[in-house]
């Protein structure tokens, strides 16, 4: 990562005959510093100048432009969201950043299978049609410049999506890349890496990313690795074939010559829950053999997914626009229902929820959908419409952009994952403005405070020191952010100050649009973006470019 160096100490004389003394822009005084290393906390002051930590110790006799009294509070490195969705909301709706800030997040990683660049004219038109917004940029360099010109409240790191470059070169169809197409995709990845992307990311459950062969991904990953990047993946399977999916990810890392990070590791489906132990062991084995492999989880047992993913991805082989109209045919519906109810050789989410539509909550219906069913299960939506449940399912899939929260995991696997030394955390959600959306997964508002409230304070699954290490320093190390994630002199002053007894997620699945509580102060690059519990107008965030 690019690291800036600058003079961090200004010596100012405070009157005739007095000794020269440091003058700080900001002092965070008297807090319990949990520095991200995993070591026990200690009480000290932190002096900050020009966006960096200058000194840690007793600064009670020093002067500062602003002093924050952190007595009785925890002072930690700013948290890093290892899958923060899209950064586009920061550009389009700056208020959306608050959903991250109130979780103590000072840096987010953006981009999964798709990414905000590269963009071509066809994708520009798709954005305009589906989101009412036409991108003006083509490359990451142009997009990054636009973010910086607009100003953002937290730092952003970006991936380049393998599905993104596939859409540009091949389109939405299920076909293998020709040598010429593969070369074109690799060139787009190389351009994105030169512009500052941190790595290549995939979402292999969703078309068209699911159509990519392992060999195609190895070639794209190798290009990212040649520029010092990583391979980050929403794997091809997160249930009965999760071990095979991890094996594929490890192979891509080995043959591509780059580190591997697995997004939101899970073993979905009751019959698959015991696989988490083997999954963790498989990752640890690769680490023992010298490959850098890490993973993250979000602290919920319901995941978030598009309702269309309840149908086999091969049906989208000619694109969504070609497939969805066929759902008007009752015979097609009957055939698809039979397939969903009886087959298991794919990521069958209906099977994962126990063949029970009451375990599938509707969390979003798109711009023009029926918002009255948000927060209901598929079964409840069918009852409300006085319609058979499978017809309701197909009706909703046919509208497009319906998102759901299947109950697919259990607490025991979350506990086991959180204790793994290579595991960190994510929200798996974009910045979200609660006044402009009908609903969301509660992880968009509560993930990181939930870790500290439920899994540290209430259940003692991991210690406070371990949690902060996994929320800050570990993800910084994974992303190569060598000047963040730790509280030490000369590092960037990204800090979160919170009450360990009061921090709490408030978002629930029935009332998800609620900010978390307990973050009293949040510092991004030396500036307060939360001050005594209130979000400020400061926009000190930066696009962190990989170098």
């Amino acid at each position: 990562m690019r690291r800036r160096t600058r003079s961090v100490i200004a010596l100012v004389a405070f009157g005739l005959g007095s000794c020269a003394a440091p003058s700080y822009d900001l002092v965070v005084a008297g807090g319990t510093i949990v520095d991200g290393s995993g070591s026990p906390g200690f009480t000290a002051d932190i002096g900050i100048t020009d966006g960096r930590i200058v000194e840690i110790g007793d600064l009670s006799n020093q002067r500062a432009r602003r002093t924050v009294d952190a007595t009785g509070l925890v002072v930690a490195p700013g948290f890093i969201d290892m899958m923060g969705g899209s950064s586009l909301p920061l550009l389009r709706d700056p208020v959306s950043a608050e959903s991250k800030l109130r979780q103590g997040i000072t840096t987010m990683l953006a981009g999964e299978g798709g990414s905000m660049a590269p963009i071509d004219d066809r994708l520009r038109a798709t954005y305009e049609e589906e989101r009412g917004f036409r991108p003006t940029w083509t490359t990451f360099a142009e997009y990054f410049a636009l973010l910086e010109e607009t100003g953002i409240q937290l730092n952003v790191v970006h991936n380049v999506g393998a599905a993104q470059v596939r859409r540009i070169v091949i389109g939405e169809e299920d076909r293998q890349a020709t040598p010429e197409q593969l070369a074109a995709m690799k060139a787009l990845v190389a351009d994105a890496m030169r512009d500052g992307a941190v790595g290549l990311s995939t979402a292999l459950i969703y078309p068209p990313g699911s159509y990519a062969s392992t060999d195609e991904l190895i070639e794209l990953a190798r290009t990212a690795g040649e520029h010092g990047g990583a391979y980050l993946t929403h794997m091809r399977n997160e249930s009965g074939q999760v071990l095979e999916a991890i094996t594929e990810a490890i192979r891509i890392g080995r043959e591509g010559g780059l580190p591997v990070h697995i997004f939101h590791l899970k073993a979905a489906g009751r019959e698959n829950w015991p696989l988490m132990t083997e999954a963790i062991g498989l990752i640890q084995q690769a680490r023992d053999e010298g490959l850098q492999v890490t993973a993250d989880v979000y602290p919920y047992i319901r995941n978030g997914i598009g309702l269309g993913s309840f149908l086999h991805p091969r049906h989208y082989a000619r694109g969504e626009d070609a497939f969805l109209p066929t759902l008007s045919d009752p015979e097609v519906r009957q055939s698809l229902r039979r397939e969903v109810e009886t087959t298991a050789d794919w990521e069958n989410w209906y099977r994962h929820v126990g063949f029970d539509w009451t375990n599938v909550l509707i969390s979003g219906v798109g711009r023009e959908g029926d918002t009255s069913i948000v927060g209901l299960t598929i079964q409840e939506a069918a009852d409300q419409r006085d319609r058979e449940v499978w017809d309701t399912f197909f009706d909703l899939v046919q509208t497009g952009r319906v998102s759901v929260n299947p109950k697919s995991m259990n607490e025991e696997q979350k506990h086991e994952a959180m204790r793994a030394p290579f595991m960190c955390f994510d929200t798996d959600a974009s910045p979200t403005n609660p006044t402009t959306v009908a609903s969301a997964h509660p992880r968009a508002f509560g993930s990181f405070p939930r870790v500290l409230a439920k899994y540290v304070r209430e259940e003692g699954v991991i210690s406070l020191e371990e949690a902060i290490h996994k929320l800050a320093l570990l993800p910084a190390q994974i992303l190569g952010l060598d000047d963040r994630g730790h509280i030490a002199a000369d590092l960037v002053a990204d800090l979160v100050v919170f009450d360990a007894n009061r921090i709490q997620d408030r978002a629930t699945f029935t009332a998800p649009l609620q900010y978390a509580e307990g973050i009293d102060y949040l510092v991004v690059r030396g500036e307060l973006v939360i001050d005594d519990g209130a979000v400020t107008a400061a926009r000190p965030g930066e696009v962190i470019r990989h170098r």
Side-chain angles (χ1 to χ4, degrees):
M1 286 296 154
R2 183 173 63 183
R3 182 165 177 170
R4 295 169 174 81
T5 58
R6 64 186 70 178
S7 172
V8 294
I9 300 180
L11 299 181
V12 179
F14 293 122
L16 186 64
S18 67
C19 296
S23 177
Y24 303 111
D25 294 334
L26 175 67
V27 167
V28 179
T32 299
I33 297 174
V34 182
D35 65 9
S37 68
S39 300
F42 60 94
T43 301
D45 308 327
I46 302 173
I48 298 164
T49 294
D50 286 344
R52 287 186 176 264
I53 297 170
V54 176
E55 190 172 355
I56 301 170
D58 182 359
L59 306 180
S60 58
N61 294 324
Q62 312 301 328
R63 299 187 182 185
R65 293 184 178 90
R66 171 70 191 278
T67 298
V68 166
D69 183 3
T71 304
L73 303 176
V74 174
V75 183
F79 301 152
I80 299 175
D81 185 351
M82 279 299 293
M83 175 30 59
S86 171
S87 63
L88 182 61
L90 302 178
L91 184 67
R92 298 275 293 149
D93 181 9
V95 173
S96 66
E98 190 167 351
S99 65
K100 301 285 187 187
L101 302 179
R102 290 202 177 277
Q103 297 187 60
I105 295 168
T106 57
T107 301
M108 60 171 275
L109 175 63
E112 199 176 72
S115 55
M116 292 317 304
I119 293 278
D120 65 359
D121 287 342
R122 185 174 57 82
L123 290 179
R124 247 185 285 277
T126 300
Y127 262 89
E128 189 169 31
E129 178 183 346
E130 295 182 354
R131 308 189 190 188
F133 168 70
R134 187 175 182 85
T136 59
W137 64 90
T138 298
T139 66
F140 266 122
E142 295 166 345
Y143 180 67
F144 291 166
L146 189 57
L147 275 177
E148 291 172 333
E149 179 184 345
T150 302
I152 52 180
Q153 286 191 290
L154 69 160
N155 310 306
V156 187
V157 186
H158 287 81
N159 289 315
V160 57
Q164 189 79 5
V165 300
R166 198 173 218 275
R167 285 190 176 97
I168 290 174
V169 175
I170 299 176
E172 299 285 344
E173 296 185 6
D174 183 2
R175 60 187 184 203
Q176 296 308 298
T178 65
E180 294 77 16
Q181 289 171 330
L182 184 57
M185 287 192 287
K186 291 174 68 175
L188 289 173
V189 171
D191 287 343
M193 295 300 298
R194 282 188 287 265
D195 285 344
V198 73
L200 176 80
S201 60
T202 59
L204 300 179
I205 188 175
Y206 303 109
S210 57
Y211 305 145
S213 68
T214 304
D215 288 339
E216 176 183 312
L217 297 175
I218 289 170
E219 287 301 309
L220 298 182
R222 183 174 291 121
T223 298
E226 289 169 353
H227 291 82
Y231 174 66
L232 307 102
T233 181
H234 174 146
M235 297 185 300
R236 208 176 291 274
N237 187 278
E238 298 179 322
S239 55
Q241 297 176 338
V242 65
L243 302 181
E244 292 85 346
I246 293 172
T247 298
E248 180 189 40
I250 290 170
R251 179 189 166 195
I252 291 169
R254 281 207 177 101
E255 297 188 26
L258 74 176
V260 174
H261 181 78
I262 297 168
F263 292 134
H264 41 69
L265 181 67
K266 63 177 70 69
R270 180 179 297 274
E271 62 190 0
N272 304 312
W273 291 347
L275 292 177
M276 179 59 78
T277 299
E278 294 181 64
I280 290 171
L282 190 57
I283 294 171
Q284 187 60 56
Q285 179 182 340
R287 289 170 58 85
D288 292 342
E289 293 170 356
L291 184 65
Q292 183 181 330
V293 189
T294 52
D296 61 59
V297 292
Y298 49 74
Y300 297 88
I301 61 172
R302 288 183 182 268
N303 58 303
I305 199 170
L307 185 60
S309 297
F310 276 65
L311 299 175
H312 199 298
R314 65 182 173 81
H315 298 298
Y316 298 88
R318 293 189 298 116
E320 191 176 78
D321 291 342
F323 171 57
L324 293 184
T326 69
L327 297 181
S328 297
D329 185 337
E331 292 186 4
V332 170
R333 290 189 173 197
Q334 186 60 34
S335 174
L336 291 172
R337 173 180 177 177
R338 190 161 49 247
E339 177 182 59
V340 170
E341 290 181 321
T342 61
T343 62
D345 59 342
W346 57 290
E347 189 73 281
N348 188 333
W349 288 100
Y350 185 58
R351 186 182 185 90
H352 298 341
V353 297
F355 305 98
D356 186 351
W357 288 119
T358 67
N359 285 330
V360 184
L361 280 174
I362 299 167
S363 59
V365 291
R367 292 171 58 200
E368 298 178 0
D370 176 9
T371 58
S372 72
I373 63 173
V374 172
L376 302 182
T377 68
I378 298 293
Q379 183 65 61
E380 289 169 338
D383 294 342
Q384 176 176 293
R385 295 180 172 193
D386 195 22
R387 190 158 169 76
E388 197 274 330
V389 68
W390 277 94
D391 280 329
T392 299
F393 163 71
F394 286 117
D395 291 346
L396 293 175
V397 171
Q398 196 166 20
T399 67
R401 299 217 167 267
V402 173
S403 53
V404 292
N405 300 144
K407 186 178 180 181
S408 62
M409 293 166 275
N410 66 333
E411 287 291 349
E412 287 73 21
Q413 69 174 273
K414 291 293 178 182
H415 294 180
E416 189 171 6
M418 288 178 189
R419 294 185 180 114
F422 51 78
M423 196 72 62
C424 50
F425 295 98
D426 75 354
T427 65
D428 196 25
S430 297
T432 304
N433 182 343
T435 68
T436 60
V437 298
S439 191
H441 194 295
R443 66 192 180 200
F445 293 89
S447 292
F448 286 19
R450 183 176 176 85
V451 170
L452 296 168
K454 177 179 173 63
Y455 295 101
V456 173
R457 184 180 67 226
E458 297 171 10
E459 299 181 4
V461 176
I462 54 177
S463 69
L464 178 64
E465 291 81 5
E466 185 178 1
I468 290 174
H469 172 71
K470 292 170 180 286
L471 290 167
L473 182 56
L474 179 57
Q477 292 169 336
I478 293 168
L479 296 173
L481 306 179
D482 59 358
D483 57 0
R484 286 175 167 84
H486 186 47
I487 296 178
D490 199 32
L491 300 190
V492 173
D494 289 347
L495 303 172
V496 54
V497 182
F498 65 93
D499 187 332
N501 296 315
R502 187 166 51 86
I503 194 164
Q504 186 68 57
D505 58 308
R506 299 181 61 238
T508 66
F509 284 97
T510 54
L513 306 179
Q514 301 186 77
Y515 292 124
E517 297 177 341
I519 304 293
D520 293 306
Y521 300 92
L522 192 68
V523 180
V524 175
R525 298 178 67 220
E527 295 189 42
L528 286 161
V529 293
I530 294 180
D531 187 352
D532 197 18
V535 174
T536 73
R539 295 189 181 184
E542 65 175 334
V543 176
I544 306 175
R545 293 168 175 81
H546 180 68
R547 287 291 184 264

